[in-house]
Amino acid sequence: MRTRIRLKALSNGRPRLSVFRSSKNIYAQVIDDAGGVTVAAASSLEGGKDAKAKGADKDAAARVGKLVAERAIEKGVKDVVFDRGGYIYHGRIKALADAAREAGLNF
């Protein structure tokens, strides 16, 4: 809650890029809190036919970051606030954030 209260004060109406990390997968979604809707979402479960695409390592996190950024830009969202969800900004969380920035999201 402390993180979300701070993000709400800093956001200036921007959607937030929220990250959830489990032991087996990683999930990310861009949420518009003003409207209460999810604008874009991606997860490591979307591996398709490639079995190696699934997982929770740094490579999977980078793929999820790139994918969620592409989907958000497609919907017209370029500026977001990064919600790390209480996780330390290191490892998989950092890989996801860096990939999203490289794909065009600003935060």
Side-chain angles (χ1 to χ4, degrees):
M1 282 303 283
R2 181 182 309 170
T3 307
R4 299 240 164 66
I5 290 169
R6 178 150 169 77
L7 285 177
K8 189 174 181 181
L10 295 173
S11 70
N12 294 330
R14 291 181 290 174
R16 76 185 148 97
L17 173 59
S18 179
V19 176
F20 174 71
R21 182 192 70 172
S22 73
S23 61
K24 294 186 179 181
N25 291 293
I26 191 159
Y27 309 85
Q29 53 184 334
V30 177
I31 304 166
D32 180 15
D33 288 320
V37 294
T38 299
V39 178
S43 75
S44 59
L45 288 171
E46 301 172 26
K49 295 178 182 175
D50 187 13
K52 292 186 179 186
K54 293 184 182 181
D57 55 354
K58 286 185 188 178
D59 295 332
R63 281 194 302 276
V64 170
K66 183 178 181 218
L67 191 59
V68 76
E70 289 170 355
R71 290 178 181 174
I73 291 170
E74 211 172 80
K75 298 282 177 112
V77 176
K78 282 196 68 95
D79 296 322
V80 296
V81 180
F82 188 65
D83 178 11
R84 58 187 175 82
Y87 303 112
I88 297 170
Y89 187 78
H90 177 75
R92 293 186 278 164
I93 303 296
K94 185 176 187 298
L96 188 143
D98 290 342
R101 280 192 193 102
E102 287 177 16
L105 281 184
N106 298 323
F107 56 92

